[in-house]
Amino acid sequence: MTALVLPSAGPDPIPVGTALAAVLGYARGRRPLYFRAPNSRTGRWVELPAFGYERFDVRPRATGPLGEADILTAEGLHGRLAPDAWQAMKRLLDDVRPLADAVLDRAAGRAMHELPDDEFSVLAEPGTVGALLRRIGGDKHVTAALHHRRPELFPLLVRTTRWQLLPHVREGDSGVEAVIHRELVANADAFEALRRTLSGYGIELTALRLHDVLLWLSGSLRLTHAVALGRQGARRW
């Protein structure tokens, strides 16, 4: 397969070469920032990561019960929480923990694209992965925490990507996760080819994470910039 057909990301297929450049730009791209310390009269230009790959994707995975380490990881992608929001997030993770464990038990070691369609159909509920994910809800810090732990199973959703997915929900779907599942299955070969090529650059991302990155870049109008960064740096990397 030479292109990714992702209706949630746009009407046109995404050539695998374009997708490769976009993810390279997401992972390795830099942006200039003029930095001046408060005690200095002059500053200098520095280059910072343009996107969240280094602050999120390459952080070590937390182990044990969901908790503070997971909040820190989610903050790396979505920004710092105020003290009261931090405490609320900690309580929310306590509530989510049994539901997340139930998803893991139901998936039985399988990635999202390896699950049968019924796991995302309301006709097969209750107890399906789709039903459990719906109960977990869509808090962006929660989905980031769960995704970082199991990036092949828990989708990472924010407002931008959720709105991109919603128009593609079909009758009988348990939620937007069903759309992600369909697109992963339909493009399994292309995602695998993309994943293997990126691995050669030292970038290890699951098919589910690649779907999320491409969807977010498209929906947030950053795809063109990421592709340009990726093509500029591909020879160096």
Side-chain angles (χ1 to χ4, degrees), residues 150-208:
R150 291 292 299 271
E152 79 287 0
L153 179 59
F154 289 97
L156 197 165
L157 293 167
V158 296
R159 183 176 182 177
T160 296
T161 53
R162 189 176 292 277
W163 279 105
Q164 289 283 112
L165 292 162
L166 276 170
H168 301 279
V169 173
R170 300 174 184 172
E171 183 178 0
D173 285 348
S174 60
V176 295
E177 295 83 4
V179 182
I180 299 173
H181 178 260
R182 272 197 299 274
E183 294 186 351
L184 288 174
V185 172
N187 296 273
D189 291 342
F191 273 120
E192 179 61 17
L194 178 60
R195 190 192 64 77
R196 289 186 178 185
T197 303
L198 287 164
S199 182
Y201 287 92
I203 298 170
E204 304 291 344
L205 296 175
T206 65
L208 179 57

